[in-house]
Amino acid sequence: MDRNRCMVCANEGAFEGGICDLCKAIIRGEALEQQHQVKKDADRSLHKEGTEIEKKTRG
């Protein structure tokens, strides 16, 4: 198997797709955090305008 370098951290390893698993996990975590912040900002802006926000319930 070829040993490639990660495009993000440049560590050498055997992996597919050009990005190591650790960097993939970090990128996904950052994306989820950003998505959460966008939703939070949207809810805050709707609340300021007086719009009712329905909360989803799990069950």
Side-chain angles (χ1 to χ4, degrees):
M1 209 182 270
D2 289 335
R3 296 188 62 81
N4 302 331
R5 291 200 173 270
C6 174
M7 290 189 294
V8 178
C9 65
N11 286 336
E12 191 174 309
F15 46 82
E16 292 183 24
I19 300 175
C20 67
D21 292 335
L22 179 61
C23 290
K24 281 182 190 177
I26 292 169
I27 291 168
R28 284 188 181 130
E30 289 173 356
L32 287 174
E33 184 179 320
Q34 183 179 9
Q35 181 182 16
H36 177 74
Q37 187 63 42
V38 167
K39 183 181 180 339
K40 189 175 173 182
D41 292 343
D43 287 347
R44 183 178 297 131
S45 142
L46 286 173
H47 180 73
K48 282 183 180 179
E49 294 195 19
T51 305
E52 290 288 324
I53 303 169
E54 293 183 22
K55 297 287 183 180
K56 292 183 180 179
T57 58
R58 293 182 178 187

